[in-house]
Amino acid sequence: MEPTKKQPARIERALAALVMAALTLITGANVIMRYCTNVSFAMTEEVSVFLLMVLTLVGAVSAFAEGRHVRITLFVNSLPDTGRKVCNALAWMCNVAMFGMLTWLAALVAWDDYSFEVTSPALGVPQWWYSGWLPLAAAVIVLRLVLMLFQRRGKA
């Protein structure tokens, strides 16, 4: 869909700020600990990778909501208005399909982690604590895309 008016993404921005702050604190504490004692926290890499995944998906939700997602518009902008609408609708459908598949497949991975009682390598906690957030975040992106469609249809 064509980004005519930017949607507010206050919740997504606040969540991204919290995740970035936690990531900075954890990584900073590990650097200081390693510098002062030559010993690092084994869990920081595990938690950092998880937080980076959450940050990436929260950033994607925010970008979709504000109409700032990366797009190549050289070809699309040269089309007439109808062609642009078709291309934007096709891009929207591809995004919904891709994140819908990600939701489903990530849910299967999280279920496997849960049912086979996989534990994380550093902390030994259940792996689904980490993998369970991916389908949730991808589903939020799908929900945000669908809501954007209804908001734009209501304004048209």
Side-chain angles (χ1 to χ4, degrees):
M1 303 295 343
E2 188 172 320
T4 53
K5 182 164 171 122
K6 297 181 193 260
Q7 304 297 319
R10 291 186 187 105
I11 294 170
E12 291 90 347
R13 284 179 178 234
L15 185 56
L18 284 172
V19 170
M20 184 66 83
L23 189 58
T24 303
L25 287 173
I26 289 169
T27 305
N30 188 37
V31 168
I32 291 170
M33 182 73 161
R34 195 170 353 126
Y35 181 75
C36 293
T37 66
N38 268 349
V39 176
S40 73
F41 296 131
M43 56 72 99
T44 57
E45 181 181 355
E46 191 173 288
V47 175
S48 295
V49 168
F50 165 72
L51 289 175
L52 280 172
M53 184 265 312
V54 171
L55 185 63
T56 301
L57 291 169
V58 169
V61 173
S62 177
F64 278 123
E66 295 176 352
R68 294 185 342 209
H69 219 282
V70 175
R71 55 179 87 216
I72 301 171
T73 59
L74 179 66
F75 173 70
V76 175
N77 286 345
S78 65
L79 294 174
D81 194 39
T82 306
R84 273 183 289 201
K85 287 181 181 179
V86 168
C87 286
N88 286 327
L90 181 61
W92 180 87
M93 286 188 289
C94 288
N95 281 316
V96 169
M98 197 275 300
F99 282 107
M101 286 188 292
L102 181 62
T103 301
W104 174 252
L105 294 173
L108 292 176
V109 168
W111 178 253
D112 279 351
D113 286 346
Y114 176 77
S115 61
F116 290 113
E117 298 178 359
V118 178
T119 58
S120 66
L123 294 175
V125 297
Q127 185 69 33
W128 66 267
W129 288 6
Y130 300 127
S131 60
W133 288 97
L134 181 57
L136 180 66
V140 168
I141 292 174
V142 172
L143 177 64
R144 185 59 126 154
L145 285 167
V146 170
L147 289 175
M148 287 170 55
L149 175 69
F150 286 124
Q151 287 173 346
R152 291 198 176 120
R153 293 245 171 147
K155 292 178 183 179

